[in-house]
Amino acid sequence: MVTEDKSKKQDFKTLLQNYTINIPKVGDVVKGKVISVDKGEVRIDIEGVTTGIVRGQELFVESHEYSGIKTGDEVEATVVDMENENGEMELSFRIAGLQRVWNNLRKWLKDGVSIKGKVVAANKGGLMMQVAAMAGFMPVSQLSPDHYPRVAGGDKNRILEKLKEMVGKEFEVKVIDVDEKNEKLIVSEKAVWEDAQKAVLDSFKVGDVVEGEVSALTSFGAFVKFGEGLEGLVHISEIAWQRIDHPKDILKVGDKIRAQIIQLDHSKIYLSVKRLVEDPWKSVKDKYKIGDLIKGKIIKVEPFGLMVSLDKDIHGLAHISELSDEPIHNINDKFKIGQEVEFNLVSLEPAEHRLGLRVAGVKGKTGRRAEVEAKKVETKKDEELVVEAK
């Protein structure tokens, strides 16, 4: 009998040794069951160890994480004080709610989930967003094509005006960067749009010819809408075989055009109009020969020379050194846009789409100097347009 009692005492002692009460400390996130909701106060049973209370701003109702809470609900809260004036553990839904939101944001980033975001303000760089009760930012570059502010010349003030028009609107966005330590949240509407385009794009391939409508003109090219909500870019160099100063020289918004797909880069579609037309430079030697005396119309006056139209397809360059045997102090005093002048054709490079001219009667300095100068200027312009397009 004594042996049996002794055995029971040892078992109880062992049970007590193995049973450890996990008492939370300030900053810990604890789980519990709601035992009462009354007058803006929520009392929670913390695993039978103690009773906690959430009150005031610590309810964090803005997150909607704990709105509509009721007795019996399982919840999480953060310990902010081990014991308040009533001997209860002081808890916060606000802190735990914030942590839950950050956790959700990281999960949405990992899973590529689309969520709603509301525009609350705008600056020249983009839109300030409210996403899951958190402050986020969407750069201008992350807007979808439908909302991207296309402004001639890239005027930042006009861009800001268009961005401000979006304040109060809701967009479907994806999380693309989460940094809890620095409280940084970046979202993208374009990422949602790109996903929607992938399935549609699968039905197209490079070389396909599409019919669409010019939706916008910029200094670097024309945007064309086609298919089911798709939009592609015709770079200025792909609009016509001859060099043009601006897409508006050839196209206008609303024009119906045919174009060929020349590149598919994820959701970016690049088109060409000129490739559907025979390259006029292929037969240029049948029309013009070195030494020919040709009448041309000046279409542009540059510090380095004249751009001259010989016909609707072929344009040439008369370098400043080929305009006069006397020094020219101001080229604009002597030559005007629209003026017709007789020239001698002095160089012809069909593969490079280059044709050199000299004003008739001028001895000139024909050679690589004029060609190199023209190439430098054209290369610089092409580089500037590529940068602007990006």
Side-chain angles (χ1 to χ4, degrees):
M1 185 73 175
V2 175
T3 304
E4 185 178 345
D5 290 343
K6 186 177 180 180
S7 175
K8 286 181 178 179
K9 288 180 180 178
Q10 286 177 337
D11 289 343
F12 185 65
K13 183 179 180 181
T14 302
L15 181 64
L16 285 174
Q17 288 174 342
N18 293 335
Y19 182 76
T20 57
I21 299 175
N22 183 22
I23 299 176
K25 58 184 182 295
V26 173
D28 284 353
V29 175
V30 295
K31 292 182 179 180
K33 183 176 289 188
V34 176
I35 55 178
S36 71
V37 180
D38 183 39
K39 296 178 181 178
E41 295 181 345
V42 178
R43 282 182 170 78
I44 302 167
D45 173 46
I46 309 299
E47 300 178 350
V49 176
T50 187
T51 298
I53 184 170
V54 185
R55 54 186 176 176
Q57 67 174 354
E58 304 306 331
L59 285 170
F60 191 49
V61 293
E62 301 94 328
S63 72
H64 304 292
E65 293 287 335
Y66 300 101
S67 60
I69 200 168
K70 62 186 182 298
T71 301
D73 285 350
E74 297 282 348
V75 295
E76 289 183 351
T78 303
V79 179
V80 293
D81 194 349
M82 294 300 293
E83 187 175 353
N84 64 16
E85 70 278 7
N86 299 317
E88 298 170 311
M89 182 178 285
E90 197 79 24
L91 303 174
S92 170
F93 282 157
R94 181 173 59 89
I95 299 173
L98 278 171
Q99 188 58 58
R100 180 177 290 191
V101 172
W102 282 113
N103 291 342
N104 285 340
L105 290 169
R106 280 189 287 270
K107 187 175 188 304
W108 295 333
L109 171 63
K110 180 181 177 182
D111 297 343
V113 174
S114 298
I115 53 177
K116 293 288 186 182
K118 185 176 182 180
V119 182
V120 295
N123 60 32
K124 291 182 180 179
L127 303 172
M128 275 67 80
M129 310 283 295
Q130 183 177 351
V131 182
M134 298 295 292
F137 183 69
M138 180 157 62
V140 176
S141 61
Q142 293 304 318
L143 283 164
S144 73
D146 288 337
H147 295 131
Y148 188 87
R150 291 171 184 145
V151 174
D155 187 307
K156 291 184 178 180
N157 290 324
R158 288 193 60 199
I159 289 175
L160 179 57
E161 288 175 11
K162 287 186 174 291
L163 291 176
K164 285 182 176 179
E165 292 174 3
M166 301 178 194
V167 173
K169 293 184 178 179
E170 273 196 345
F171 292 138
E172 191 174 352
V173 299
K174 278 192 172 187
V175 177
I176 59 174
D177 190 14
V178 176
D179 184 349
E180 183 180 355
K181 182 179 179 182
N182 295 306
E183 297 186 350
K184 175 184 174 185
L185 169 63
I186 307 296
V187 296
S188 169
E189 184 197 22
K190 186 171 75 170
V192 177
W193 176 82
E194 287 176 344
D195 279 351
Q197 304 308 300
K198 286 177 183 177
V200 182
L201 279 175
D202 286 343
S203 61
F204 292 95
K205 63 183 183 299
V206 172
D208 284 352
V209 176
V210 299
E211 294 185 0
E213 180 178 310
V214 177
S215 55
L217 297 175
T218 70
S219 59
F220 56 82
F223 288 92
V224 178
K225 286 188 175 181
F226 67 96
E228 298 178 20
L230 294 176
E231 188 172 52
L233 171 67
V234 184
H235 188 266
I236 189 170
S237 62
E238 291 293 336
I239 292 177
W241 287 107
Q242 70 269 30
R243 289 187 64 85
I244 58 177
D245 293 328
H246 195 283
K248 66 183 179 183
D249 296 340
I250 303 284
L251 302 169
K252 64 180 182 296
V253 173
D255 279 353
K256 308 289 189 199
I257 63 170
R258 296 173 73 247
Q260 185 177 53
I261 297 175
I262 58 175
Q263 185 181 349
L264 292 171
D265 181 9
H266 299 293
S267 64
K268 295 179 181 177
I269 309 167
Y270 296 96
L271 306 168
S272 174
V273 173
K274 75 178 188 181
R275 298 192 195 190
L276 295 179
V277 180
E278 183 71 20
D279 182 359
W281 287 86
K282 288 183 178 179
S283 58
V284 70
K285 286 190 173 180
D286 296 333
K287 298 173 67 176
Y288 304 108
K289 292 181 174 51
I290 292 178
D292 282 354
L293 183 64
I294 309 167
K295 182 173 285 188
K297 180 183 289 187
I298 298 171
I299 56 174
K300 195 169 185 182
V301 179
E302 300 277 13
F304 59 84
L306 307 174
M307 298 301 298
V308 180
S309 170
L310 302 185
D311 56 47
K312 68 181 183 67
D313 296 316
I314 305 299
H315 296 171
L317 169 69
H319 189 265
I320 192 168
S321 62
E322 307 286 5
L323 302 182
S324 174
D325 290 325
E326 303 297 327
I328 298 178
H329 301 294
N330 188 342
I331 192 171
N332 289 287
D333 290 341
K334 188 162 183 155
F335 299 98
K336 305 294 180 184
I337 293 176
Q339 180 181 351
E340 289 193 344
V341 181
E342 284 196 334
F343 297 91
N344 288 114
L345 196 155
V346 294
S347 65
L348 185 57
E349 298 178 75
E352 298 295 327
H353 290 187
R354 298 187 191 282
L355 183 151
L357 301 167
R358 177 195 299 154
V359 172
V362 173
K363 294 179 181 178
K365 300 177 181 178
T366 303
R368 293 301 299 170
R369 174 182 167 185
E371 296 168 11
V372 169
E373 185 71 21
K375 185 173 287 189
K376 280 182 181 178
V377 173
E378 293 181 358
T379 300
K380 182 179 179 182
K381 286 186 176 180
D382 286 340
E383 289 173 350
E384 290 173 348
L385 287 169
V386 168
V387 170
E388 189 174 354
K390 288 182 177 177

